[in-house]
Amino acid sequence: MLSYLHAALPAYFLNQCDTGYRLAQKGLALINEMGIGDNQHGWLNYAAALHLCGQNRLDQALDHTQKALERFTHQANYWGQAHVHDLIHFIRLKRKDFKAAEKSLEQGQTLLHGTGLGMTQGILETGMLGLWLETGRFEAVLEKAD
């Protein structure tokens, strides 16, 4: 099942969203058939959402992020939840819904507070800086840089 995830994720960066989505769906079908209810379910939904976002099918992408978030919440996987919030931020940015994008990043940062997951925290902070630049809040970016 994880092989479908590991094949699906790089497809996004190769601009092969149809292939990546198909692989994520195959992985989801397999774990559903086998009755597996662990974090693989969340990550495969994350991958499906990422590829749907790449196809600009944003409503469907949000549906998959909700499924991923539910799984990661159930499993108490803060790392997975934070990555989903980052993806939700990306989807909201594509819709030019800047307030919702910022809220998603804040939720991810709150989840990670005190966990020691510095790399993921940095991803969320970088997303926030990008959002502030996109919305013209240059002073906030400069303050953060100090």
Side-chain angles (χ1 to χ4, degrees), residues 31-83:
I31 63 172
N32 286 334
E33 180 182 315
M34 296 177 73
I36 297 172
D38 64 7
N39 283 300
Q40 293 176 79
H41 201 274
W43 287 115
L44 285 162
N45 271 298
Y46 173 90
L50 181 65
H51 290 292
L52 287 164
C53 188
Q55 296 170 347
N56 213 33
R57 294 165 53 191
L58 303 180
D59 288 337
Q60 290 172 294
L62 283 173
D63 288 343
H64 278 280
T65 62
Q66 291 302 59
K67 291 175 186 175
L69 197 55
E70 288 170 12
R71 176 61 57 183
F72 290 141
T73 300
H74 178 72
Q75 299 286 330
N77 181 338
Y78 299 118
W79 181 59
Q81 290 176 64
H83 278 282

Side-chain angles (χ1 to χ4, degrees), residues 51-136:
H51 290 292
L52 287 164
C53 188
Q55 296 170 347
N56 213 33
R57 294 165 53 191
L58 303 180
D59 288 337
Q60 290 172 294
L62 283 173
D63 288 343
H64 278 280
T65 62
Q66 291 302 59
K67 291 175 186 175
L69 197 55
E70 288 170 12
R71 176 61 57 183
F72 290 141
T73 300
H74 178 72
Q75 299 286 330
N77 181 338
Y78 299 118
W79 181 59
Q81 290 176 64
H83 278 282
V84 172
H85 283 294
D86 182 52
L87 181 53
I88 293 169
H89 138 260
F90 184 61
I91 293 167
R92 298 293 189 205
L93 273 181
K94 286 185 86 139
R95 288 188 165 169
K96 304 288 187 206
D97 187 350
F98 301 116
K99 287 186 184 212
E102 186 168 2
K103 182 180 177 187
S104 295
L105 290 171
E106 289 169 350
Q107 288 174 310
Q109 289 174 331
T110 298
L111 281 166
L112 292 183
H113 185 72
T115 63
L117 294 168
M119 182 177 276
T120 305
Q121 184 73 31
I123 290 168
L124 295 169
E125 288 174 3
T126 301
M128 190 68 80
L129 292 172
L131 177 64
W132 291 344
L133 286 172
E134 181 77 19
T135 57

